[in-house]
């Protein structure tokens, strides 16, 4: 399995990286937080860390550290606009529950 990205998310990440003027790709990770236990992290990557896994799709590199990969294996990163709201969405098959606000999850 791998981490995948939709066309909409790939376009958005590419735009962010182009506007930023540098960067290898986007780091997708998890950290302990929120009412359900874990929260997603998105940040730009300028240098790879030891052990990082790189998934390249649609011209975008998604970088995941080994500890996060356990929780993110099979996840699809999407980007959606709904009315005035827009943002990245995580279609993670490992999630067993999410908090009411949608900011954290549990596996």
């Amino acid at each position: 399995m791998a981490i995948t990205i939709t066309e909409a998310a790939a376009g958005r990440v590419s735009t962010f990286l182009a506007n930023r003027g540098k960067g290898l790709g986007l780091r997708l990770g998890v950290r302990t937080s929120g009412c359900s236990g874990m929260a997603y992290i998105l940040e730009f990557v300028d240098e790879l860390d030891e052990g990082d896994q790189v998934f390249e799709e649609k011209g975008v590199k998604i970088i995941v550290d080994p500890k996060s990969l356990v929780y993110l294996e099979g996840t699809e990163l999407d980007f959606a606009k709904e009315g005035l709201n827009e943002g990245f969405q995580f279609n993670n098959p490992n999630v067993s529950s999410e908090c009411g606000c949608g900011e954290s999850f549990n596996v």
Side-chain angles (χ1 to χ4, degrees):
M1 293 187 89
I3 307 297
T4 58
I5 187 169
T6 65
E7 287 289 340
R12 194 64 166 177
V13 172
S14 294
T15 299
F16 282 143
L17 286 170
N19 290 341
R20 189 170 179 256
K22 64 177 182 173
L24 298 174
L26 186 71
R27 179 174 302 281
L28 176 57
V30 296
R31 64 178 163 82
T32 304
S33 176
C35 34
S36 289
M38 306 186 108
Y40 295 105
I41 299 169
L42 286 175
E43 59 189 14
F44 295 112
V45 175
D46 295 325
E47 259 180 55
L48 293 177
D49 294 333
E50 187 174 332
D52 278 346
Q53 291 274 37
V54 179
F55 301 93
E56 187 165 358
E57 187 176 7
K58 298 174 180 71
V60 173
K61 291 180 182 162
I62 303 295
I63 297 107
V64 182
D65 66 270
K67 290 180 182 177
S68 295
L69 188 57
V70 173
Y71 303 104
L72 297 172
E73 189 71 46
T75 296
E76 177 189 61
L77 181 63
D78 193 10
F79 184 82
K81 290 183 179 184
E82 296 173 10
L84 297 175
N85 298 319
E86 62 181 38
F88 288 102
Q89 296 179 341
F90 307 91
N91 301 316
N92 185 342
N94 305 300
V95 171
S96 61
S97 64
E98 294 179 312
C99 71
C101 64
E103 293 297 319
S104 62
F105 66 96
N106 196 2
V107 290

